[in-house]
Amino acid sequence: MFKMHRLPAVAALLMAVTAASAATTTRPDLVARGAYMARAADCVACHTAPGGQPFGGGYGIVTPFGKIFGSNISSDPTVGIGTWTDAQFLAAVKHGIGKQGENLYPAMPYDSFQNMTDEDVLAIKAYLMSLPAVKTPSPGNQLHFPFDQRWLLTAWKLISVPRPIHSDSRHDAQWNRGRYLVEGAAHCETCHTPRNLAMGMSTSHAFAGGDLGSWYAYNITPDIHAGIGGWSDQELLAYLHEGNAPGRGAAAGPMAEAVEHSLQYLTTDDLRAMITYLRSVPAQGASTQASRSRQGQPDQDYAILRGASRATLARHPGAELYLQHCASCHAADGSGKGQGAQAYPSLYHQSTVGAEDTTNLVSVILNGVDRHIGDQHIYMPAIGQDLSNPDVALLANYVAERFGRPNSSISAGRVAQLRNPAVRPHPVLPQ
């Protein structure tokens, strides 16, 4: 049923946004605030093409309805936002309305950005306008009919965009700051909340985990088993800031990008505020099974298989692949090697290996890990390019059986669906 309380005409909305906007300046303090908020919102992720200039657009986002390309949001006056008014920028970021009044596709998470203050959004604009222009036009979207009809998004917004949130006086400043970041700038729900049939966020299952195609964004509610309820604050802080919490998990795929381009730059106070808020949301997906980051133990197959006959190896499917491709870094018994940010993590007590869904495990094998944290480069090669789909399935199932959940399994057909050899270069965000 349509929510009739949210039927403002586009013209009226633009008038309201215009009234709320203030003149953008290039004050150093405003630009610095905008740089911080642009990192918090991870703007560079979707608005930078592979190998392209930051904010020059052209990054393709694959959706069930086709491919959407991030727009050029550099200061260029022709193909960027150089001639945009404050009101137009606010309307685009917070309400999904383009410069010409057209609906923007919700690949732009305006359903979360609507919760940001006008001041923070305009600070981002000031920052973008302070950077060199990028003169590269963005490609046109490649969407199937009828999803290429933008007018349909008017109804989608009415059905799927929730009411904006406001400061809650029942909670302290830290909780409110955490909520502002989690549900606003950092738009955590965009990935970590499942989607309904209309592809809107299922707010009744907020943060219960979301399907991203080749990756899965895990449950981050305080459920002790399914979510992060068993993680300590220090473990969560380490994961958000460095992408690695030993004995819990290491970031890969979209989460690694979020840590690299966004979360590692947030202040400790802001990260702690996000943790405080996430611990307060309703727990989802209660399970009687142990946490995914508490599965598995060291395995001694290597002692049996060293120098073993082909017949013996055949009784341990996947073991030979593991010893060939994984054991040199993760150790023959899966215990990992080294200490600190560049350590090779243990495969047991590792959330990716211990998850019931093997999507992320397979995607790590296929695509590797490549993230930059400070001056550290954390890298795992994409070994899947050297393996057939049946071999990737065999290896993933072996790793899950030996070091994670023995009942997890994946087929070669599913591997074929997840295979994506494209590796996205890391854009360098201007300081």
Side-chain angles (χ1 to χ4, degrees), residues 161 167 182 359:
V161 177
S167 181
V182 167
T359 293

Side-chain angles (χ1 to χ4, degrees), residues 42 45 59 252-263 371 424 426:
D42 201 7
Y59 177 65
M255 189 63 200
E257 289 193 6
V259 174
E260 177 174 347
H261 302 309
S262 175
L263 297 172
R371 67 180 187 271
R424 180 182 174 188
H426 297 269

Side-chain angles (χ1 to χ4, degrees), residues 231 235 244-250 291-295 345-346 348-351:
W231 293 47
E235 287 171 332
N244 183 41
R248 289 293 186 180
S291 166
R292 61 179 180 273
S293 60
R294 285 294 177 263
Q295 298 292 319
S346 165
Y348 53 87
H349 292 183
Q350 172 66 243
S351 60

Side-chain angles (χ1 to χ4, degrees), residues 136-174:
T136 306
S138 299
N141 296 325
Q142 301 168 3
L143 294 171
H144 316 303
F145 182 83
F147 304 107
D148 58 347
Q149 304 298 303
R150 291 180 182 266
W151 63 269
L152 293 173
L153 289 169
T154 301
W156 183 88
K157 289 179 181 180
L158 294 173
I159 297 169
S160 300
V161 177
R163 288 173 177 250
I165 63 171
H166 302 284
S167 181
D168 190 335
S169 61
R170 296 172 298 178
H171 297 277
D172 61 18
Q174 184 184 53

Side-chain angles (χ1 to χ4, degrees), residues 218 248-250 252 292 350-355 357-358 360-362 364:
Y218 290 129
R248 289 293 186 180
R292 61 179 180 273
Q350 172 66 243
S351 60
T352 299
V353 180
D357 187 318
T358 56
N360 288 5
L361 174 58
V362 171
V364 167

Side-chain angles (χ1 to χ4, degrees), residues 61 73 119 154 165 176 178 180 190 196 202 216 234 257 298 305 321 391:
I61 302 169
I73 57 169
E119 292 77 15
T154 301
I165 63 171
N176 276 290
Y180 177 76
T190 300
N196 55 34
S202 178
Y216 187 81
Q234 197 58 38
E257 289 193 6
L305 300 176
L321 289 170
D391 278 350

Side-chain angles (χ1 to χ4, degrees), residues 109 128 172 224 294 367 428:
L128 295 173
D172 61 18
I224 193 69
R294 285 294 177 263
N367 302 306
V428 178

Side-chain angles (χ1 to χ4, degrees), residues 182-266:
V182 167
E183 297 203 31
H187 55 284
C188 304
E189 277 187 290
T190 300
C191 292
H192 289 279
T193 294
R195 299 279 166 169
N196 55 34
L197 290 177
M199 295 305 291
M201 291 186 292
S202 178
T203 53
S204 61
H205 299 89
F207 308 111
D211 183 358
L212 306 181
S214 294
W215 298 89
Y216 187 81
Y218 290 129
N219 184 322
I220 55 172
T221 73
D223 183 83
I224 193 69
H225 298 306
I228 58 170
W231 293 47
S232 70
D233 284 1
Q234 197 58 38
E235 287 171 332
L236 289 170
L237 187 64
Y239 187 83
L240 293 175
H241 187 255
E242 301 171 7
N244 183 41
R248 289 293 186 180
M255 189 63 200
E257 289 193 6
V259 174
E260 177 174 347
H261 302 309
S262 175
L263 297 172
Q264 70 165 315
Y265 297 102
L266 300 192

